[in-house]
Amino acid sequence: MPQVKIIAKNFMDMVASLPAIKLDMLYRNQFICEAILRSLPPLAKKYVLQMLYIDDPITSKSLQEWVIADGSSKHKVSIDRLIQLRVFEVIDRKKETTYKLNPTFQTSLRKHLIYGGILPREPMPPNVIARLPTSEELDAYALEQWECFLLQLISSGQAEKSSSFSSSMMRIFQRGFLRQREKEAPRLTESGFQFLLMDTSAQLWYVIREYISNSEEQGVDQADLIAFLLELSFHTTGEAYNLDTLTDYQTAMIKDLADLGLVKLQKGRKESWFIPTKLATNLSVSLADTTSRKQGFVVVETNFRMYAYSSSKLHCEILRLFSRVEYQLPNLIVAAITKESLYNAFENGITADQIVTFLQQNAHPRVAEKVPSVPENVTDQIRLWETDLHRVEMTPAHHYDEFPSRDVFEAASDFARMHSGLLWEDANKMRMVVRAEIHMLMREHLRSQNK
């Protein structure tokens, strides 16, 4: 089965894909300019800040002089990123290429640095609102909402409460994650399992990207959604903001974000408000900057028994994908890795490397420091059971024999080897087997030899 790769783009990749007109509209917002600046590589930030008060174009040669000799690769990456985001405008001249800052971006960032930014809404005063959740309660709420959404995504029957997303929107999220055959329940695909292996921030980017990509079908401009989400990242975690300050599309979106755990909605006697969680305020942080590691919960023993110290139903469903769950206590899941459970996982497209990676990344702190964190006999056996299913590999090929002379045979053998298509040859009896992909090339080669 071909390997499926999921690329979880961050906001800046989505911003870069917008048309130039919409990008210039976004850059009128000072907070978006700051979010763009935060996301840039260190060298690109240096270029932007040094050119912020330079109105004349800078030659590419002058820019290279700002970098030490060993930084040429970082220089190229930074320039490419700035051009993708239209922060740099390229002016091609006959003699040399020059760069200048996008005037809209430059003006907005200057104002932001001098006067500071003012959000379109301020936190509500304490005497108007009820008791706000503590930081721990807010983190627990965000985690619960996110896990509930993931449960509904991979197994809607296991979710305790359904989200407000429409069935058509859930199908968009599930696209490529679930496979269903006739008269069978939906099964997680290889890409679906790979999605579950991602950390929360990477999963969130994927869902947000799909949400924004399909927003135009609902009559909402993608640029408006991106602007609101980046604005949201500059709000203060745990503070209450009045829902009346939102537009109609922002009000509809904030309800969806509450299902994902980005905000918590609360109601008072007269007014309603939303409270951003850390998932929302970290939206403008680049994926490359997320280095925090989730605390593990799995202990694997040499007898293939597995103990997961977790009360999460999502964790239980993930373990059920490749192991036999024997019983579940309030804070402990006991399972066994068996040949049958792994065969079921392999048939669904999950690979041995993915399973081993999951066990290593989620190893309990007591065993995570050990080397290896998962017993070698377990990881080796998981890979061996996978190879049992791939002992014979079928390769479409063609057999050639009865060559008129040895010179023709050797020339044909060299031709097939040159095109990486020679699978087998018998020089004594002048026979060979080549890949089907080069069959037509071999025919033309042999015809040219016969002339």
Side-chain angles (χ1 to χ4, degrees):
M1 180 173 291
Q3 187 77 6
V4 180
K5 296 289 184 186
I6 296 178
I7 301 173
K9 290 184 178 180
N10 59 26
F11 258 139
M12 300 313 134
D13 295 318
M14 296 165 65
V15 170
S17 67
L18 291 174
I21 297 175
K22 291 186 177 181
L23 262 178
D24 286 338
M25 290 177 62
L26 281 179
Y27 289 160
R28 293 174 189 169
N29 188 311
Q30 298 174 20
F31 289 100
I32 290 174
C33 293
E34 184 182 347
I36 296 291
L37 185 65
R38 284 183 181 183
S39 75
L40 294 174
L43 192 57
K45 290 178 185 176
K46 170 186 168 68
Y47 293 157
V48 171
L49 293 175
Q50 285 193 221
M51 294 176 62
L52 191 58
Y53 286 93
I54 299 176
D55 295 323
D56 296 329
I58 302 293
T59 64
S60 59
K61 185 177 180 181
S62 298
L63 275 181
Q64 288 177 344
E65 291 176 354
W66 295 355
V67 189
I68 59 176
D70 295 340
S72 58
S73 60
K74 293 181 180 179
H75 169 77
K76 186 178 184 307
V77 170
S78 297
I79 294 295
D80 290 344
R81 192 59 169 163
L82 290 168
I83 293 173
Q84 286 172 1
L85 290 165
R86 275 185 52 79
V87 174
F88 267 12
E89 291 185 350
V90 184
I91 303 173
D92 289 319
R93 294 179 176 174
K94 292 182 179 180
K95 292 183 179 180
E96 191 173 13
T97 301
T98 60
Y99 305 103
K100 65 176 294 187
L101 282 180
N102 182 313
T104 309
F105 180 90
Q106 188 177 29
T107 303
S108 296
L109 194 56
R110 281 179 182 178
K111 289 180 179 178
H112 190 62
L113 289 177
I114 296 172
Y115 303 108
I118 301 174
L119 284 168
R121 62 195 64 84
E122 291 293 329
M124 296 175 69
N127 60 335
V128 178
I129 56 180
R131 187 187 77 86
L132 294 178
T134 64
S135 177
E136 292 76 15
E137 290 172 343
L138 206 56
D139 290 345
Y141 162 83
L143 179 62
E144 180 187 357
Q145 289 293 104
W146 182 248
E147 288 197 351
C148 182
F149 170 75
L150 290 183
L151 265 177
Q152 190 175 6
L153 196 64
I154 65 173
S155 178
S156 57
Q158 292 293 327
E160 292 182 354
K161 53 183 178 180
S162 61
S163 66
S164 63
F165 288 113
S166 64
S167 57
S168 59
M169 199 67 201
M170 286 302 297
R171 281 196 294 272
I172 289 170
F173 291 145
Q174 292 170 338
R175 185 171 47 199
F177 289 166
L178 297 177
R179 175 176 59 239
Q180 186 171 12
R181 299 171 182 170
E182 291 184 6
K183 299 180 181 179
E184 287 187 12
R187 291 187 174 186
L188 206 65
T189 63
E190 180 182 359
S191 56
F193 188 72
Q194 190 175 352
F195 173 77
L196 292 177
L197 289 179
M198 295 176 180
D199 59 26
T200 302
S201 60
Q203 292 171 339
L204 182 62
W205 286 124
Y206 181 86
V207 172
I208 290 290
R209 186 189 68 179
E210 292 297 310
Y211 182 84
I212 292 176
S213 299
N214 291 275
S215 62
E216 289 190 345
E217 298 176 6
Q218 313 298 325
V220 180
D221 193 340
Q222 290 187 7
D224 291 337
L225 287 182
I226 292 174
F228 176 60
L229 285 165
L230 286 177
E231 228 174 59
L232 190 64
S233 69
F234 287 94
H235 289 59
T236 305
T237 303
E239 292 284 355
Y241 297 87
N242 199 323
L243 284 174
D244 292 338
T245 60
L246 304 178
T247 62
D248 291 340
Y249 84 85
Q250 289 175 345
T251 302
M253 186 180 186
I254 210 76
K255 294 177 181 177
D256 291 337
L257 296 181
D259 282 327
L260 297 176
L262 273 73
V263 297
K264 182 178 177 65
L265 300 179
Q266 284 188 337
K267 283 186 179 181
R269 290 182 178 179
K270 294 182 179 179
E271 300 185 26
S272 301
W273 54 87
F274 68 91
I275 306 167
T277 68
K278 287 181 180 178
L279 290 180
T281 53
N282 289 336
L283 278 174
S284 62
V285 180
S286 172
L287 278 180
D289 296 334
T290 55
T291 56
S292 59
R293 184 180 183 275
K294 292 187 295 184
Q295 185 172 350
F297 59 95
V298 178
V299 176
V300 182
E301 294 186 336
T302 55
N303 59 0
F304 293 83
R305 298 272 288 185
M306 190 163 51
Y307 300 92
Y309 293 87
S310 172
S311 57
S312 168
K313 286 190 175 182
L314 178 64
H315 289 161
C316 184
E317 288 304 305
I318 294 175
L319 296 177
R320 205 184 297 274
L321 294 172
F322 60 88
S323 65
R324 185 183 70 231
V325 175
E326 297 182 342
Y327 50 88
Q328 185 175 5
L329 300 176
N331 63 342
L332 177 66
I333 304 167
V334 180
I337 300 174
T338 66
K339 188 175 183 179
E340 292 74 19
S341 64
L342 286 175
Y343 274 11
N344 288 332
F346 299 148
E347 287 176 5
N348 290 330
I350 300 171
T351 66
D353 285 339
Q354 285 179 327
I355 295 171
V356 172
T357 300
F358 174 82
L359 295 175
Q360 291 171 342
Q361 289 180 349
N362 292 278
H364 192 277
R366 289 290 182 89
V367 296
E369 296 178 358
K370 296 181 180 179
V371 180
S373 57
V374 181
E376 286 186 339
N377 70 306
V378 175
T379 57
D380 290 346
Q381 189 60 59
I382 290 173
R383 292 190 173 98
L384 283 172
W385 279 331
E386 183 184 40
T387 58
D388 285 347
L389 301 176
H390 306 290
R391 288 182 177 179
V392 178
E393 184 179 347
M394 303 294 290
T395 303
H398 289 268
H399 178 258
Y400 292 85
D401 60 0
E402 298 182 2
F403 287 90
S405 67
R406 182 161 295 278
D407 291 339
V408 174
F409 168 77
E410 290 178 352
S413 176
D414 292 339
F415 180 84
R417 192 178 287 106
M418 182 178 65
H419 288 82
S420 303
L422 183 64
L423 295 175
W424 173 84
E425 68 174 338
D426 183 350
N428 294 329
K429 296 183 179 180
M430 292 195 296
R431 297 179 300 177
M432 72 174 67
V433 176
V434 302
R435 294 182 182 275
E437 292 90 340
I438 68 165
H439 175 58
M440 298 306 296
L441 292 175
M442 282 290 292
R443 285 180 61 181
E444 292 177 6
H445 171 78
L446 292 173
R447 283 175 182 171
S448 66
Q449 294 291 313
N450 292 332
K451 291 180 181 179

